[in-house]
Amino acid sequence: MKAFLLKHFGIDGLALEDIPRPTPRHGQVLVKMRAWSINFRDLLVVRGIYAPKLKFPFQILSDGVGEVIEVGPGVTRAKPGDRVAGTFMQRWVGGGAAAEKSASALGGEIPGVAAEYVILDNNGFVPVPAGLSDEEGATLPCAAVTAWHALVTSGALAAGETVLVQGTGGVSLFALQFAHATGARVIATSSSDAKLERVREMGASELINYKTTPEWGAKARALTNGRGVDHVVEVGGAGTLPQSLEAVRIGGRISLIGVLTGGTVNPIPIVMKGVTVQGIYVGSRVMFEAMNDAITVNKLKPVIDRVFPFAELPQALQHMESGAHFGKIVLKA
Amino acid sequence: MKAFLLKHFGIDGLALEDIPRPTPRHGQVLVKMRAWSINFRDLLVVRGIYAPKLKFPFQILSDGVGEVIEVGPGVTRAKPGDRVAGTFMQRWVGGGAAAEKSASALGGEIPGVAAEYVILDNNGFVPVPAGLSDEEGATLPCAAVTAWHALVTSGALAAGETVLVQGTGGVSLFALQFAHATGARVIATSSSDAKLERVREMGASELINYKTTPEWGAKARALTNGRGVDHVVEVGGAGTLPQSLEAVRIGGRISLIGVLTGGTVNPIPIVMKGVTVQGIYVGSRVMFEAMNDAITVNKLKPVIDRVFPFAELPQALQHMESGAHFGKIVLKA
Amino acid sequence: MKAFLLKHFGIDGLALEDIPRPTPRHGQVLVKMRAWSINFRDLLVVRGIYAPKLKFPFQILSDGVGEVIEVGPGVTRAKPGDRVAGTFMQRWVGGGAAAEKSASALGGEIPGVAAEYVILDNNGFVPVPAGLSDEEGATLPCAAVTAWHALVTSGALAAGETVLVQGTGGVSLFALQFAHATGARVIATSSSDAKLERVREMGASELINYKTTPEWGAKARALTNGRGVDHVVEVGGAGTLPQSLEAVRIGGRISLIGVLTGGTVNPIPIVMKGVTVQGIYVGSRVMFEAMNDAITVNKLKPVIDRVFPFAELPQALQHMESGAHFGKIVLKA
Amino acid sequence: MKAFLLKHFGIDGLALEDIPRPTPRHGQVLVKMRAWSINFRDLLVVRGIYAPKLKFPFQILSDGVGEVIEVGPGVTRAKPGDRVAGTFMQRWVGGGAAAEKSASALGGEIPGVAAEYVILDNNGFVPVPAGLSDEEGATLPCAAVTAWHALVTSGALAAGETVLVQGTGGVSLFALQFAHATGARVIATSSSDAKLERVREMGASELINYKTTPEWGAKARALTNGRGVDHVVEVGGAGTLPQSLEAVRIGGRISLIGVLTGGTVNPIPIVMKGVTVQGIYVGSRVMFEAMNDAITVNKLKPVIDRVFPFAELPQALQHMESGAHFGKIVLKA
């Protein structure tokens, strides 16, 4: 079968090779992949930033959807023909984060799903919501679960609260959709008025162009009568956190997700405003399942920026690197 | 000014009398009432069931909206001209239930709002959402806050969960609207197919006529693939609780609100299914404010069954007693 | 090997027989048992009340401690020589209750541990705290985890709160110990002044003899300056729940655990007092592990009433039936 | 009466002057002060760091205990003769932090308690636990409530968890006492072996001298078998946060309280370890009351470093500045 293996760091280190098709052992399923999505983390893995000591060759990617075609003994959760998406961490079923769960993350801590056939653990997949295409389902494991974990599982979002989302990457658009579906008010930022127009159509009621309004934290606070927003979904990191701390209300919450910018931060406003900053690193299968229920009940559709053929994974990563995308970048078998 | 005073138990014990208009003291506001709504509790008060030792004459009613026309010294939260709704319990600002808070419930523990002019505490009112009429705002203090407390504050409802609501009284319709706005799936029961059709239009996706399906608990469970619903909003009491315990999932939640039926219940299923039964008795001002945000963001409109002139309060109570209503019964100045 | 099999309902239906020693398969461990404890549920199983359709012969008992002597392939959590206690539900690792988890309860839903050698699932055991003897460790899986789940996991008990425990059975004494270790105030009831003296030594600061004070609910409330207790650990069921509802504060919590008494209950005080009644049916492995940390840090010792030889399991059940015990009844290999 | 007024920034800006004794108005009590305690914040106020735009003269100090000697009309919570401690924020009764609550902080946002007679709001005090002296009670409003808020209200601490406290200032010692009373395991750091010996006597089971072990984060992790501690009470700020992030477990919690060190922090470990960093700025009256229950039930005694006469407030601040104290610095009338 074909698989993408990283031979050395850099997008040019990716090689599409022929390797033996794996066989499911006890408690494993074999999945014939139909679609994949890429995340900023994949770029960090390929660039050597995520895991500088990675052992080559390494099969990358965390997100994908396929059909179960064979099950090993002891498999109780699937049968051939089932359409499934793997969970980002193969051993995070429920409960909180833990070292042994993080150690089972596809495409980073363990080999990923960039292959025609993939082995998943009996506990490491979920059914794909019936209303979604394979490509749409493939967008969920990392970005969508992260947004759900941030807003719902850890954020306990309620209708009527105000959520601020930054930009138009995968996590931010899912956060917008989940916040909107939950009846929250959404303030969105972007550097592009055209993109802002699109997030308005998705349910954001307030828009801030952070290029023309660099003090967008104060602007967001003004949009809430000076009170501040209840929850900021922070994907920028140290570069944007000071504005997020300006935007959030006293006693509010910031989900710290992204590492797009480097740098350091003055923590004093966290104390003075009594803010909770929660680091969010994807989530559990239980969160994934609850999120799928929300997707089904609310007929949500993931936003796909562009679909590449599987063989063009390197080009897809370059497209992500350009930063021009709106929503998820997907690969198709 | 005119006020409805209960002179003895029974609807015929209500007299519309002339009494002196009150004057606001320190920390009090004087409100000229424009609209009221009635609740099943008002009927229980009038019938002598709610507070058998009530001292006559007693000014009834908990729910209403009016305009602040005068403020006493020390008032910080309102000025003349503000449109406000009183909180059901004048001294329940935030936090959990407590005896001293319950002791300040309008129209039961302390005199109510059935008058042209009413005194409220500086901490005992909220602004009415701008999108609502006076009549719509008047429906909120008891029934809507109860539904919000049950589902959101204590229930931590998330998008994608399944909620079962019973019948078409005020609490149940608000619960339906809040659950729908939160992105939950709603199963509704009623004895009338016509009413079920109306709740379908309000967002219920599954309908059960409990007359034709007396085993509606099993039916609700079947509608969730045998798993059971996440949350039942129980307004019937002992008479319907066994079916609710049948409908709810293992580890699920039942908000016990209503006392429409009498009787007793076998508690063993609560243990065996690990169910949480939470008694809900209206809620705090903080809940009221959060709910109003949700109403505003989601442009929710309370369902009004019928509007009576203030002087027809006895007729309005009789209408409620008939059980034919769909939504809230309102009075207008 | 020897095993106790129930051939028909009734204590005289128990037979100590020779059956083949089981062999661990994939993901299973073989444990040589050293100690067991019995629970009221075992009596209900034997009497035919717990599972009237039980298939005979049935190996009973949920609680025990032993040494791992062999592990099947795929076992990651134990090695030969480890001392372990089985979890009550073999498949409840973390998160909330669920039907598929309840279906894996030892000695009720699946065969139990009343044998010299027992098979446990790779996810279905925990290490026994080092400070405990085998007999002490054997008391934990059902009663102690139930008390922990009630007070800590679902009850979020804080130092300074007041907990009421009923009688001197296993769950109640563990609840007393956990509440005391958490810095809570404990009010204990019993029908025996001698037993009350013993619970005083264990940390209960207030004692009520419910024979001489049948209105113990009002008495408990008086002991809290009329406010009511924060949490009642209810093991009696419908027979004692009315007094518990009298004892608990407005907005307080009752953990409903026991089914010692039958009957039905008027739910109206649950609404009027805004009480949360949480049904508790044992708990997860994650709870068991957290509890073991608390046992270790606080050097807690389970209270053992009496130790019988394994072959005297029927006599041990008869001893439990007499109701004279104080703490856990244990069997030893 | 005598009062300490800050005339300009700097300890030498403090003047003990004669000013008129205040008179309680509606909803106010007049308290004759008996004891005060000082906090690091008082030093920041005096130095001009806390509120650079402070208007002079300004009566400083947040913490104190006294006797109610007169009550204004509308006072419901106290009568002459009651011994009370003021709440740090006069208008934070319950619920979460909010701007309007923070705006009522004694000795910073509003004038403080450094006077012989002080006015408190009807909602702005609590009874002092009977078991405490006036001096002990005076230590509670800022440091103790902060520690309680961090560990219990926001931290939901359970018996058996591991808490790390830094140094021997007021907040850290209260955190140690509350964690110990709750049955948690406590790891304490200090630069002095002599001080570490004293915290051992107070219940810390593991001690780290951060002078001799500058990598104390790794050491703390090693003390938890590599897992990391559940909760770090962080009083140092940016200077110590990197070690705290090293010490805390994946999915763990850091209460960010102190601003002793300046500087900035790399937030990436917060994401990668899924840590929650909660800014804590004192707390509510409801927290104060719950904490007092815990103090009473567990017979806790605040640790007093040294008692100065009221007139020596400047010397007391200098003593705090030296950093040599162990526990709280107190003033006495």
Side-chain angles (χ1 to χ4, degrees):
Chain A
M1 69 167 188
K2 298 286 187 193
F4 265 109
L5 300 179
L6 189 68
K7 302 301 212 42
H8 60 80
F9 289 130
I11 291 180
D12 63 347
L14 282 169
L16 185 60
E17 305 213 335
D18 260 307
I19 60 170
R21 173 172 147 178
T23 305
R25 288 182 297 173
H26 191 100
Q28 294 183 330
V29 301
L30 179 67
V31 176
K32 184 173 195 303
M33 299 300 288
R34 294 182 187 164
W36 301 257
S37 83
I38 63 172
N39 292 288
F40 194 73
R41 169 183 178 260
D42 297 315
L43 209 48
L44 295 174
V45 169
V46 168
R47 291 265 174 237
I49 297 164
Y50 181 87
K53 296 176 184 172
L54 196 70
K55 294 228 175 92
F56 304 113
F58 183 76
Q59 185 171 307
I60 67 164
L61 288 195
S62 60
D63 288 16
V65 156
E67 181 184 334
V68 174
I69 56 167
E70 194 183 335
V71 303
V75 166
T76 55
R77 299 182 60 255
K79 57 181 192 309
D82 288 357
R83 186 174 68 148
V84 301
T87 55
F88 185 87
M89 295 178 206
Q90 287 287 292
R91 294 195 298 272
W92 190 356
V93 174
E100 65 271 23
K101 297 169 181 174
S102 298
S104 68
L106 291 169
E109 282 68 17
I110 64 169
V113 300
E116 287 182 282
Y117 295 87
V118 163
I119 293 287
L120 295 175
D121 191 273
N122 183 41
N123 281 311
F125 56 83
V126 299
V128 178
L132 300 190
S133 68
D134 297 337
E135 292 84 347
E136 289 166 343
T139 66
L140 303 177
C142 178
V145 172
T146 297
W148 182 266
H149 181 182
L151 288 180
V152 182
T153 316
S154 289
L157 187 66
E161 292 188 332
T162 301
V163 174
L164 185 144
V165 300
Q166 303 172 335
T168 56
V171 170
S172 298
L173 291 188
F174 280 119
L176 189 169
Q177 290 180 297
F178 297 149
H180 186 59
T182 304
R185 182 189 184 209
V186 180
I187 300 176
T189 70
S190 172
S191 61
S192 149
D193 286 343
K195 287 182 173 177
L196 285 173
E197 205 40 55
R198 292 184 64 186
V199 299
R200 184 201 298 278
E201 284 158 22
M202 293 176 65
S205 59
E206 313 290 342
L207 313 170
I208 309 176
N209 185 318
Y210 65 79
K211 285 273 192 236
T212 55
T213 309
E215 297 292 318
W216 54 264
K219 173 71 177 170
R221 224 169 53 189
L223 290 171
T224 54
N225 296 321
R227 184 166 173 270
V229 305
D230 296 292
H231 198 145
V232 177
V233 179
E234 170 63 65
V235 297
T240 45
L241 200 42
Q243 286 299 314
S244 295
L245 284 164
E246 188 68 30
V248 76
R249 71 167 167 83
I250 289 189
R253 191 179 295 263
I254 296 175
S255 285
L256 191 58
I257 291 168
V259 290
L260 296 174
T261 66
T264 59
V265 161
N266 178 351
I268 288 180
I270 297 172
V271 183
M272 296 310 291
K273 293 182 82 169
V275 170
T276 294
V277 177
Q278 53 189 25
I280 300 289
Y281 188 51
V282 199
S284 69
R285 193 185 86 205
V286 167
M287 297 178 202
F288 202 159
E289 292 164 337
M291 177 189 81
N292 284 349
D293 287 345
I295 287 173
T296 297
V297 170
N298 295 282
K299 301 186 173 59
L300 302 181
K301 289 284 187 182
V303 177
I304 293 176
D305 174 74
R306 187 167 155 192
V307 181
F308 292 82
F310 179 58
E312 292 180 17
L313 169 54
Q315 290 87 328
L317 287 168
Q318 277 157 349
H319 179 58
M320 166 164 278
E321 212 163 22
S322 75
H325 56 292
F326 184 96
K328 294 290 293 175
I329 301 168
V330 171
L331 307 172
K332 192 170 179 183
Chain B
M1 66 169 192
K2 297 284 187 194
F4 265 107
L5 300 179
L6 189 68
K7 302 301 215 37
H8 59 80
F9 288 131
I11 291 180
D12 63 347
L14 282 168
L16 185 60
E17 304 214 335
D18 260 307
I19 61 171
R21 174 173 147 178
T23 305
R25 288 182 299 173
H26 191 101
Q28 294 184 330
V29 300
L30 179 67
V31 176
K32 183 173 197 303
M33 299 300 287
R34 294 182 187 162
W36 303 256
S37 84
I38 64 172
N39 293 286
F40 194 73
R41 168 181 177 263
D42 297 314
L43 210 47
L44 295 174
V45 169
V46 168
R47 290 267 174 236
I49 297 164
Y50 181 88
K53 296 176 183 173
L54 197 70
K55 294 227 174 90
F56 303 113
F58 184 75
Q59 187 171 305
I60 67 164
L61 288 195
S62 60
D63 289 15
V65 157
E67 180 184 332
V68 174
I69 57 167
E70 194 184 335
V71 303
V75 166
T76 55
R77 299 182 60 254
K79 57 181 191 312
D82 288 358
R83 186 174 69 147
V84 301
T87 55
F88 186 86
M89 294 178 206
Q90 287 287 291
R91 292 195 300 271
W92 189 358
V93 175
E100 65 271 24
K101 297 169 181 174
S102 298
S104 68
L106 290 168
E109 282 68 17
I110 64 170
V113 300
E116 288 181 281
Y117 295 88
V118 162
I119 293 288
L120 295 175
D121 189 274
N122 183 41
N123 282 311
F125 55 83
V126 300
V128 179
L132 300 190
S133 68
D134 297 336
E135 291 84 347
E136 289 165 343
T139 66
L140 302 176
C142 178
V145 172
T146 297
W148 182 265
H149 181 182
L151 288 179
V152 182
T153 314
S154 289
L157 186 66
E161 292 188 332
T162 300
V163 174
L164 185 144
V165 300
Q166 302 171 335
T168 56
V171 171
S172 298
L173 291 188
F174 280 119
L176 188 169
Q177 290 180 296
F178 297 148
H180 186 59
T182 303
R185 182 189 185 208
V186 180
I187 300 175
T189 69
S190 172
S191 61
S192 148
D193 286 342
K195 286 181 174 178
L196 285 173
E197 204 43 53
R198 292 185 65 186
V199 298
R200 183 201 298 277
E201 284 158 22
M202 293 174 66
S205 60
E206 313 289 342
L207 313 171
I208 309 176
N209 186 318
Y210 65 79
K211 285 274 191 237
T212 55
T213 309
E215 298 291 318
W216 54 265
K219 173 71 175 170
R221 223 168 55 188
L223 289 171
T224 54
N225 296 320
R227 185 167 173 269
V229 306
D230 295 292
H231 199 144
V232 177
V233 180
E234 169 64 64
V235 296
T240 46
L241 200 42
Q243 287 299 313
S244 295
L245 283 164
E246 188 68 30
V248 76
R249 72 167 167 84
I250 289 189
R253 192 179 293 265
I254 297 174
S255 284
L256 192 58
I257 291 169
V259 290
L260 295 174
T261 64
T264 60
V265 161
N266 177 351
I268 287 180
I270 297 173
V271 182
M272 295 311 290
K273 294 184 80 169
V275 170
T276 294
V277 177
Q278 53 188 25
I280 300 290
Y281 187 53
V282 199
S284 70
R285 193 186 86 205
V286 167
M287 297 177 201
F288 201 158
E289 291 163 337
M291 177 189 82
N292 283 349
D293 287 345
I295 287 173
T296 297
V297 170
N298 295 281
K299 300 186 173 58
L300 302 180
K301 288 285 188 181
V303 177
I304 293 176
D305 174 72
R306 187 166 156 194
V307 181
F308 291 83
F310 178 61
E312 292 180 16
L313 170 54
Q315 290 85 331
L317 288 168
Q318 277 156 349
H319 178 58
M320 165 164 279
E321 212 163 22
S322 75
H325 55 293
F326 184 96
K328 294 290 294 176
I329 300 167
V330 171
L331 307 173
K332 194 171 176 180
Chain C
M1 67 167 190
K2 298 285 189 194
F4 264 108
L5 300 179
L6 189 68
K7 303 301 215 37
H8 60 80
F9 289 130
I11 292 180
D12 62 348
L14 282 168
L16 184 61
E17 304 214 334
D18 260 306
I19 61 171
R21 173 173 146 178
T23 305
R25 289 182 297 173
H26 192 100
Q28 294 184 329
V29 300
L30 180 67
V31 176
K32 183 174 197 304
M33 299 299 287
R34 294 180 185 164
W36 302 256
S37 84
I38 63 172
N39 293 287
F40 194 73
R41 169 183 178 261
D42 297 313
L43 210 48
L44 294 174
V45 169
V46 168
R47 291 270 174 233
I49 297 164
Y50 181 88
K53 296 175 184 174
L54 197 70
K55 294 227 174 91
F56 303 113
F58 183 75
Q59 186 171 307
I60 67 164
L61 288 195
S62 60
D63 289 15
V65 157
E67 181 183 333
V68 173
I69 56 167
E70 196 184 333
V71 301
V75 166
T76 56
R77 299 182 61 253
K79 57 181 192 311
D82 288 356
R83 185 173 68 149
V84 300
T87 54
F88 185 86
M89 293 178 206
Q90 287 287 288
R91 293 194 300 270
W92 190 357
V93 175
E100 65 271 23
K101 298 168 180 175
S102 297
S104 68
L106 292 168
E109 281 68 15
I110 64 170
V113 300
E116 287 181 283
Y117 295 88
V118 163
I119 292 288
L120 295 175
D121 189 273
N122 182 41
N123 282 311
F125 56 82
V126 299
V128 179
L132 300 190
S133 68
D134 297 336
E135 291 85 346
E136 288 165 345
T139 65
L140 303 177
C142 179
V145 172
T146 297
W148 182 265
H149 181 182
L151 288 179
V152 182
T153 314
S154 290
L157 186 65
E161 292 188 333
T162 301
V163 174
L164 185 145
V165 301
Q166 302 171 334
T168 56
V171 170
S172 298
L173 291 188
F174 280 118
L176 188 169
Q177 289 180 297
F178 297 148
H180 186 58
T182 304
R185 182 188 184 209
V186 180
I187 300 176
T189 69
S190 172
S191 61
S192 147
D193 286 343
K195 286 180 173 178
L196 285 173
E197 203 43 54
R198 292 184 65 187
V199 298
R200 183 201 298 279
E201 285 158 20
M202 292 175 67
S205 60
E206 313 290 342
L207 313 171
I208 309 176
N209 186 317
Y210 65 79
K211 286 274 191 236
T212 55
T213 309
E215 298 291 319
W216 54 265
K219 172 71 176 171
R221 224 169 54 188
L223 290 171
T224 54
N225 296 318
R227 185 168 172 268
V229 305
D230 296 292
H231 197 144
V232 177
V233 180
E234 169 63 65
V235 297
T240 46
L241 201 42
Q243 286 300 313
S244 295
L245 283 164
E246 187 68 30
V248 76
R249 71 166 167 85
I250 289 188
R253 191 180 293 264
I254 296 174
S255 285
L256 191 57
I257 291 168
V259 290
L260 296 174
T261 64
T264 59
V265 162
N266 177 352
I268 288 180
I270 297 172
V271 183
M272 296 309 292
K273 293 182 82 169
V275 170
T276 295
V277 177
Q278 53 187 25
I280 300 289
Y281 187 52
V282 198
S284 70
R285 192 186 88 206
V286 167
M287 298 177 201
F288 201 158
E289 291 164 337
M291 177 189 82
N292 282 350
D293 287 345
I295 287 172
T296 297
V297 170
N298 294 282
K299 300 186 172 60
L300 302 181
K301 290 282 188 182
V303 177
I304 293 176
D305 174 72
R306 188 167 154 192
V307 181
F308 291 83
F310 179 60
E312 292 181 15
L313 170 53
Q315 290 86 331
L317 288 169
Q318 277 157 350
H319 178 57
M320 166 165 277
E321 211 163 23
S322 75
H325 55 292
F326 184 95
K328 295 289 295 176
I329 301 168
V330 171
L331 307 172
K332 194 171 177 181
Chain D
M1 68 168 188
K2 298 284 187 193
F4 265 107
L5 299 180
L6 189 67
K7 302 300 215 38
H8 59 80
F9 288 130
I11 292 181
D12 63 348
L14 282 168
L16 186 60
E17 305 214 335
D18 261 306
I19 60 169
R21 175 172 145 177
T23 305
R25 288 182 298 174
H26 192 101
Q28 295 183 329
V29 301
L30 178 68
V31 176
K32 183 174 197 305
M33 300 299 289
R34 293 181 186 164
W36 302 258
S37 83
I38 63 173
N39 293 286
F40 194 73
R41 169 183 177 260
D42 297 314
L43 210 48
L44 295 174
V45 169
V46 168
R47 291 268 173 235
I49 296 164
Y50 182 88
K53 296 176 184 174
L54 197 70
K55 294 226 174 94
F56 304 113
F58 184 75
Q59 186 171 307
I60 67 164
L61 290 194
S62 60
D63 289 15
V65 156
E67 180 183 334
V68 174
I69 57 167
E70 195 184 333
V71 302
V75 166
T76 55
R77 299 182 60 253
K79 57 182 192 310
D82 287 357
R83 185 173 69 149
V84 299
T87 55
F88 185 86
M89 293 177 207
Q90 287 288 290
R91 294 195 298 270
W92 191 356
V93 174
E100 66 271 23
K101 297 169 180 174
S102 297
S104 68
L106 291 168
E109 282 68 17
I110 65 170
V113 300
E116 288 181 281
Y117 295 87
V118 163
I119 292 289
L120 296 175
D121 191 273
N122 182 41
N123 282 312
F125 56 82
V126 300
V128 179
L132 300 190
S133 67
D134 296 336
E135 292 85 345
E136 289 165 343
T139 66
L140 302 177
C142 178
V145 172
T146 297
W148 182 264
H149 181 182
L151 288 178
V152 181
T153 315
S154 290
L157 186 66
E161 292 188 332
T162 302
V163 174
L164 185 145
V165 300
Q166 303 172 334
T168 55
V171 171
S172 297
L173 291 188
F174 280 119
L176 189 168
Q177 290 180 296
F178 297 149
H180 185 59
T182 304
R185 183 189 184 209
V186 180
I187 300 176
T189 69
S190 172
S191 61
S192 148
D193 286 343
K195 285 181 173 176
L196 285 173
E197 203 43 54
R198 292 184 65 187
V199 297
R200 183 201 298 279
E201 285 159 20
M202 292 174 66
S205 60
E206 312 290 341
L207 312 171
I208 309 176
N209 185 318
Y210 65 80
K211 285 274 191 236
T212 55
T213 308
E215 298 292 317
W216 54 265
K219 173 71 177 172
R221 224 168 53 189
L223 290 171
T224 54
N225 296 320
R227 186 168 171 268
V229 305
D230 295 292
H231 198 144
V232 177
V233 179
E234 170 63 65
V235 296
T240 46
L241 200 42
Q243 287 298 313
S244 295
L245 284 164
E246 188 68 30
V248 76
R249 71 166 168 84
I250 289 188
R253 192 179 294 264
I254 296 175
S255 285
L256 191 58
I257 291 168
V259 290
L260 296 174
T261 66
T264 59
V265 162
N266 178 351
I268 288 179
I270 297 173
V271 182
M272 296 309 292
K273 293 182 82 169
V275 170
T276 294
V277 177
Q278 54 188 25
I280 299 290
Y281 188 53
V282 198
S284 69
R285 193 185 87 205
V286 166
M287 298 177 202
F288 202 159
E289 292 164 337
M291 177 188 82
N292 283 349
D293 287 344
I295 287 172
T296 298
V297 169
N298 295 280
K299 300 186 173 60
L300 302 180
K301 287 285 189 180
V303 177
I304 293 175
D305 174 73
R306 189 167 152 193
V307 181
F308 290 83
F310 178 61
E312 292 180 16
L313 169 55
Q315 290 87 329
L317 287 168
Q318 278 157 350
H319 179 57
M320 166 165 278
E321 210 162 24
S322 76
H325 56 292
F326 184 95
K328 295 290 294 175
I329 301 168
V330 171
L331 307 172
K332 193 170 177 180

